[in-house]
């Protein structure tokens, strides 16, 4: 399981963070989360029961069992839902509930407050669930395998085709459920926002994919600004736009909507940076750390060093074999300015997120949102 | 309606109770191998079933004759409605569909060149644009029905764009699921760019369609068209499973056909009718027309999978059998050749199954009966649309039902 977590860490999923050691000074991650969960009323049981109990998903569960023993990534993803559920606390949903509560009802809505539980509208709870559904759908769709690129070590072709079939179907099923719930919110602006976030997410994942397939090229020649654009699409857009949509559902004005967007955007950027930094800030264990050459510290390292020198370092780490000596490369990056400037960047986004929170009145929920930022910007 | 009539006629059942519109036939018809419980009605049914099987050739004969008379009846009834019988329905809608693909491409705002290329791949103007055509004709027919308006609203045009986008997104995903190699005479997206990217391209087209849908700014329209997305996925799930009982199998097949094909047409017709006319009766007419035409369209598609040649169709034939799917022609043929049951249950997985099943189907009257069933659905569609005030577009929609039956690709 930890192996799977480490692999996911590269994508900067929430799991990567949960798996990391709790920062020494800030409250432990799990504590931040469990306190935050108390604030929003009841535990964030997304992936709604309705969805889990449906014929379609139990059908999938039956079929996915056939994949046990194969190497299809869907199995890993599915395993993650079950074994990882304690750590994988569906943070996006939680953040949306917290910011909904922090904003409270808008003055336009003060006269009547129907459907409010623990200071959160039921429509906002639906939205939190929708966001989780979309995120999960793409975890599943990320795991589609290219049949043409399979090698004999990947096992029988038929298994992989079957795995793909299941992955497309279950991802589509989750997306369709998200669309249906979205339509039920009866707010065209929210539908537009979330739909465009799905488009952003697809484009972001698409960049990840094109990198994966060109692994031979080792690294893309991208600067940190391109990196930021791509990470915004793949990691921030959904949360940022969902936070904004939560404000729209409570009829908050454009300014508050923008602040919620900014919080979602910068918090998830700093989270991504935090998870990218983990291989470089943890006391080195004996295990070989594998990190993405497109992670923030590596990209920043290249910016300082120049592309040619960086390529040279990679070639040296590669040696004669095709296997990369990540330890060596890690030391090279640590010796440069990439790590410190990634930490700076992480704190910069953290501060931007905190600044956005200033627009909300002080409350437990707002403190919880601030604590989340603190947890992802502290480095031991 | 047509279907209920059809089954009742075939089974000799005499139930007068009409199930609600849109429901699928639930028949008590034990398969040849099953033992009926000793209830009198079931025994009667069993008897009827046996007699049906025994006198099968005779019934076929009657069927054929009936089929011809019904066609001539339909034609004669149409003459009374319209004199413009030979008008090309596509001509009428074509002016509204000018720039359809350009408009779709405008919705696909992508920064990466490759992703854009993949998303635009099927919007090359070579598709039939069958769905947008129905949608624009329906929009105009409803507008005229409502207040004799000759204008089409921009939002109605958007529904046509969105319908084609949702359809294409589902094609891209279906091809990954079915591991298909060719479509519309060219390679599939997954063949060229790989499955991983193809799935993302499908997702992107869907998200773009969703954005366009939201911009129409009408929550009812959003709900109606979102239903399509849900049905498409559920239809795909239905296709995974199969039923042991023969009747359940047929109902299952029709339900799958509705969800995978007809729901899109039915609900986009409904959407444009809502935009054009406030009368709920009209919405129901539009929906029923789309539903019936959609089912007929798919039934003919399933027939063409057996009768057309690969070059003409732009995709391989007997594709459904190869995927393990028993479509209309197979289910009908199975009544004549019960040995096909085993093949259906194992989803044509044994070597030689596909060829044998194909042969059985062509020997049987499965193709004719499926075509006949499609005719019944078209007839029903015509009956529904005829409730609207006469207009050239309404006549075109009637004409279109005939083209659905006559198409060969």
């Amino acid at each position: 399981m930890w192996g799977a977590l480490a692999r996911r860490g590269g994508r900067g999923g929430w799991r990567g963070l949960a798996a990391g050691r709790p920062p020494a000074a800030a409250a432990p991650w799990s504590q931040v989360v469990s306190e935050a969960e108390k604030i929003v009323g009841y535990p964030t049981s997304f992936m709604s029961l309705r969805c889990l109990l449906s014929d379609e998903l139990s059908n999938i569960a039956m079929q996915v069992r056939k994949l046990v023993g194969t190497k299809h990534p869907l199995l890993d993803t599915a395993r993650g839902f079950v074994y990882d559920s304690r750590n994988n606390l569906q943070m996006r949903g939680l953040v949306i509930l917290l910011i909904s509560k922090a904003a409270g009802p808008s003055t336009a809505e003060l006269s009547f407050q129907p459907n409010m539980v623990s200071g959160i509208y039921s429509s906002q709870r639906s939205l939190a669930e929708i966001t989780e559904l979309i995120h999960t759908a793409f975890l599943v769709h990320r795991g589609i395998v290219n049949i043409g690129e399979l090698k004999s070590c990947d096992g029988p072709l038929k298994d992989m085709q079957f795995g793909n079939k299941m992955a497309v179907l279950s991802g589509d099923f989750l997306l369709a459920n998200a669309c249906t719930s979205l339509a039920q919110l009866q707010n065209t602006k929210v539908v537009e926002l979330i739909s465009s976030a799905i488009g952003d997410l697809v484009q972001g994942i698409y960049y990840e994919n094109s990198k994966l397939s060109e692994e031979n090229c080792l690294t893309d020649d991208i600067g940190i600004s391109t990196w930021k654009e791509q990470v915004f699409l793949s990691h921030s857009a959904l949360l940022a736009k969902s936070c904004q949509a939560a404000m729209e559902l409570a009829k908050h004005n454009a300014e508050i909507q923008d602040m919620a967007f900014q919080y979602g955007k910068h918090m998830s950027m700093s989270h991504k940076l935090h998870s990218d930094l983990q291989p470089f800030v943890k006391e080195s264990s004996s295990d070989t750390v594998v990190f993405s050459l497109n992670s923030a510290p590596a990209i920043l390292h290249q910016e300082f060093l120049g592309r040619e020198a960086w390529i040279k370092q990679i070639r040296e780490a590669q040696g004669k074999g095709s296997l990369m000596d990540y330890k060596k490369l890690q030391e090279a990056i640590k010796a440069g300015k990439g790590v410190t400037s990634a930490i700076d960047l992480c704190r910069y986004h953290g501060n931007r997120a905190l600044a956005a929170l200033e627009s909300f009145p002080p409350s437990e929920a707002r403190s919880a949102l601030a604590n989340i930022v603190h947890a992802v910007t502290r480095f031991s | 309606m047509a279907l209920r009539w059809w089954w009742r006629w075939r089974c000799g059942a005499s139930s007068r109770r009409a199930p609600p519109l849109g429901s699928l036939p639930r028949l008590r018809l034990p398969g040849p191998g099953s033992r009926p419980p000793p209830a009198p009605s079931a025994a009667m049914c069993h008897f009827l079933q046996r007699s049906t099987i025994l006198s099968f050739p005779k019934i076929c004969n009657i069927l054929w004759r009936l089929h011809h008379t019904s066609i001539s009846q339909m034609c004669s009834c149409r003459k009374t409605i319209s004199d413009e019988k030979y008008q090309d329905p596509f001509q009428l809608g074509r002016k509204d569909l000018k720039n359809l693909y350009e408009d779709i491409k405008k919705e696909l705002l992508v920064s990466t060149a490759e992703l854009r290329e993949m998303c635009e791949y099927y919007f090359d103007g070579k598709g039939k644009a069958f769905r947008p055509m129905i949608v624009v004709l329906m929009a105009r027919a409803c507008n005229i029905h409502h207040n004799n308006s000759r204008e089409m609203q921009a939002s109605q045009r958007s529904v046509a764009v969105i319908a084609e986008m949702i359809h294409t997104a589902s094609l891209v995903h279906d091809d990954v699921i079915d591991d298909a190699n060719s479509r519309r005479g060219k390679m599939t997206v997954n063949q060229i760019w790989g499955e991983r990217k193809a799935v993302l391209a499908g997702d992107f087209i869907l998200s773009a369609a969703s954005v366009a849908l939201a911009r129409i700014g009408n929550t009812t329209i959003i709900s109606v068209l979102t239903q399509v997305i849900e049905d498409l996925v559920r239809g795909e799930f239905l296709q995974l499973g199969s039923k042991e009982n023969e009747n359940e199998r047929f109902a299952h097949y029709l339900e799958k056909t509705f969800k995978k094909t007809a729901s899109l047409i039915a609900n986009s017709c409904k959407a444009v009718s809502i935009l054009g006319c406030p009368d709920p009766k009209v919405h129901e007419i539009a929906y029923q027309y789309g539903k019936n035409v959609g089912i007929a369209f798919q039934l003919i598609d399933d027939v063409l999978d057996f009768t057309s040649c690969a070059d003409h169709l732009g995709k391989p034939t007997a594709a459904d059998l190869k995927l393990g799917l028993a479509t209309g022609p197979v289910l009908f043929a199975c009544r004549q050749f019960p040995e096909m049951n085993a093949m259906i249950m194992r989803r044509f997985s044994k070597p030689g199954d596909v060829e044998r099943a194909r042969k059985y189907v062509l020997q049987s009257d499965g193709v004719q009966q499926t075509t006949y069933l499609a005719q019944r659905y078209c007839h029903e569609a015509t009956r529904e649309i005829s409730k609207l005030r006469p207009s050239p577009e309404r006549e075109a929609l009637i004409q279109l039902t005939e083209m659905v039956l006559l198409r060969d690709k």
Side-chain angles (χ1 to χ4, degrees), chain B residues 177-235:
Chain B
I177 290 172
D178 300 341
D179 204 22
N181 300 320
S182 60
R183 171 177 298 278
R184 292 183 188 165
K186 55 188 200 177
M187 282 166 91
T188 55
V189 174
N190 45 301
Q191 272 293 301
I192 301 176
W193 288 281
E195 285 72 13
R196 197 191 272 258
K197 287 179 177 175
V199 168
L200 290 177
D203 288 340
F204 190 83
I205 298 171
L206 188 66
S207 75
S210 235
V211 172
L213 177 56
R215 288 203 181 125
I216 291 179
N218 182 322
T219 54
T220 310
I221 302 302
I222 292 178
S223 297
V224 169
L225 289 179
T226 300
Q227 182 63 45
V228 175
I229 297 170
E230 195 171 325
D231 283 342
L232 282 171
V233 176
R234 287 183 193 270

Side-chain angles (χ1 to χ4, degrees), chain A residues 56 60 138 141-142 144-147 161 165 169 172 179-180 186 188 192 195 199 202-203 206-207 209, chain B residues 111 114 173 177 179 194-197 199-200 203-204 207 210-211 214-215 217 219 226 230 234 236-237:
Chain A
E56 281 81 3
I60 287 265
F138 281 98
H141 276 181
R142 266 174 164 123
I144 303 277
V145 197
N146 281 338
I147 299 291
Q161 279 170 338
K165 187 172 174 164
L169 270 175
D172 282 354
C179 287
T180 307
Q186 301 271 314
T188 57
E192 187 176 341
S195 302
V202 173
Q203 293 189 67
Y206 193 84
Y207 287 125
N209 274 350
Chain B
S111 49
E114 190 186 40
H173 278 198
I177 290 172
D179 204 22
E195 285 72 13
R196 197 191 272 258
K197 287 179 177 175
V199 168
L200 290 177
D203 288 340
F204 190 83
S207 75
S210 235
V211 172
R215 288 203 181 125
T219 54
T226 300
E230 195 171 325
R234 287 183 193 270
E236 201 62 52
F237 272 94

Side-chain angles (χ1 to χ4, degrees), chain A residues 220-338:
Chain A
D220 300 350
D221 189 10
I222 59 166
I224 194 70
S225 60
T226 314
W227 182 90
K228 278 184 171 181
E229 278 168 29
Q230 295 181 358
V231 166
F232 171 74
L233 292 174
S234 61
H235 287 79
S236 301
L238 179 60
L239 187 60
K241 288 182 174 175
S242 296
C243 285
Q244 183 185 349
M247 300 301 102
E248 163 68 25
L249 284 172
K251 298 198 172 63
H252 282 293
N253 61 29
E255 197 187 334
I256 292 284
Q257 287 189 24
D258 185 48
M259 287 302 127
F261 178 94
Q262 297 299 334
Y263 175 81
K265 173 185 165 179
H266 291 292
M267 193 279 283
S268 44
M269 290 297 279
S270 70
H271 169 264
K272 167 67 174 153
L273 282 152
H274 183 272
S275 93
D276 271 12
L277 274 159
Q278 289 313 299
F280 301 95
V281 294
K282 275 190 288 190
E283 278 111 81
S284 51
S285 51
S286 51
D287 309 343
T288 42
V289 265
V290 176
F291 55 89
S292 164
L293 293 179
N294 284 310
S295 66
I299 299 286
L300 286 162
H301 179 70
Q302 180 193 313
E303 292 228 314
F304 285 109
L305 203 65
R307 174 130 179 113
E308 269 174 47
W310 171 229
I311 295 286
K312 202 169 150 238
Q313 281 185 341
I314 294 174
R315 296 267 176 261
E316 279 165 14
Q318 225 169 358
K320 277 171 194 157
S322 56
L323 235 81
M324 179 80 74
D325 183 355
Y326 276 98
K327 199 88 192 155
K328 196 170 172 181
L329 209 56
Q330 188 187 26
E331 292 310 320
I333 292 174
K334 272 183 171 175
K337 289 184 200 157

Side-chain angles (χ1 to χ4, degrees), chain B residues 108-223:
Chain B
L108 298 167
L109 300 165
V110 203
S111 49
T112 345
E114 190 186 40
L115 184 57
R116 189 185 310 121
E117 198 188 334
M118 289 167 67
C119 290
E120 293 179 353
Y121 185 68
Y122 286 129
F123 301 118
D124 56 0
K126 291 186 183 123
K128 290 185 286 274
F130 174 69
R131 290 157 187 84
M133 179 65 70
I134 293 186
V135 172
V136 294
L137 290 174
M138 181 61 81
R140 286 189 176 275
C142 290
N143 295 353
I144 290 172
H145 177 85
H146 176 49
N147 54 6
N148 226 352
S149 160
R150 299 270 160 192
E151 295 299 310
M152 186 165 64
Q153 300 165 28
S155 58
Q156 292 177 316
R157 175 70 171 28
S158 295
V159 172
V161 166
I162 293 161
E164 186 68 1
M165 288 172 82
I166 294 177
H167 170 61
T168 307
S170 81
L171 290 186
V172 174
H173 278 198
D174 280 1
D175 285 344
V176 176
I177 290 172
D178 300 341
D179 204 22
N181 300 320
S182 60
R183 171 177 298 278
R184 292 183 188 165
K186 55 188 200 177
M187 282 166 91
T188 55
V189 174
N190 45 301
Q191 272 293 301
I192 301 176
W193 288 281
E195 285 72 13
R196 197 191 272 258
K197 287 179 177 175
V199 168
L200 290 177
D203 288 340
F204 190 83
I205 298 171
L206 188 66
S207 75
S210 235
V211 172
L213 177 56
R215 288 203 181 125
I216 291 179
N218 182 322
T219 54
T220 310
I221 302 302
I222 292 178
S223 297

Side-chain angles (χ1 to χ4, degrees), chain B residues 163-356:
Chain B
E164 186 68 1
M165 288 172 82
I166 294 177
H167 170 61
T168 307
S170 81
L171 290 186
V172 174
H173 278 198
D174 280 1
D175 285 344
V176 176
I177 290 172
D178 300 341
D179 204 22
N181 300 320
S182 60
R183 171 177 298 278
R184 292 183 188 165
K186 55 188 200 177
M187 282 166 91
T188 55
V189 174
N190 45 301
Q191 272 293 301
I192 301 176
W193 288 281
E195 285 72 13
R196 197 191 272 258
K197 287 179 177 175
V199 168
L200 290 177
D203 288 340
F204 190 83
I205 298 171
L206 188 66
S207 75
S210 235
V211 172
L213 177 56
R215 288 203 181 125
I216 291 179
N218 182 322
T219 54
T220 310
I221 302 302
I222 292 178
S223 297
V224 169
L225 289 179
T226 300
Q227 182 63 45
V228 175
I229 297 170
E230 195 171 325
D231 283 342
L232 282 171
V233 176
R234 287 183 193 270
E236 201 62 52
F237 272 94
L238 286 175
Q239 198 161 293
L240 279 184
S242 52
K243 292 275 185 272
E244 212 146 322
N245 177 296
E246 225 173 293
N247 298 303
E248 279 181 26
R249 208 186 274 153
F250 208 90
H252 188 86
Y253 164 67
L254 285 172
E255 193 184 351
K256 184 216 81 182
T257 302
F258 170 74
K259 295 212 156 126
K260 280 202 70 177
T261 311
S263 170
L264 174 61
I265 302 173
N267 282 300
S268 27
C269 282
K270 184 175 170 184
V272 287
S273 75
I274 293 171
L275 290 166
C277 171
D279 183 0
K281 280 193 208 108
V282 173
H283 309 160
E284 185 61 19
I285 291 167
Y287 179 86
Q288 289 300 333
Y289 173 85
K291 180 183 129 181
N292 283 287
V293 164
I295 293 177
F297 182 84
Q298 187 57 47
L299 288 170
I300 296 300
D301 219 52
D302 294 344
V303 163
L304 289 174
D305 197 39
F306 285 95
T307 57
S308 191
C309 67
D311 283 348
H312 196 61
L313 216 53
K315 58 184 177 188
T317 52
D320 293 327
L321 286 178
K322 287 171 197 156
L323 290 169
L325 303 177
T327 55
V330 177
L331 295 177
F332 280 116
C334 181
R335 313 205 115 220
Q336 224 167 327
F337 300 104
E339 52 269 49
M340 289 182 80
N341 262 311
M343 282 193 258
I344 294 175
M345 288 318 291
R346 62 173 180 257
R347 310 198 108 206
F348 314 102
S349 56
K350 274 198 185 164
D353 273 0
V354 171
E355 289 72 27
R356 253 190 309 150

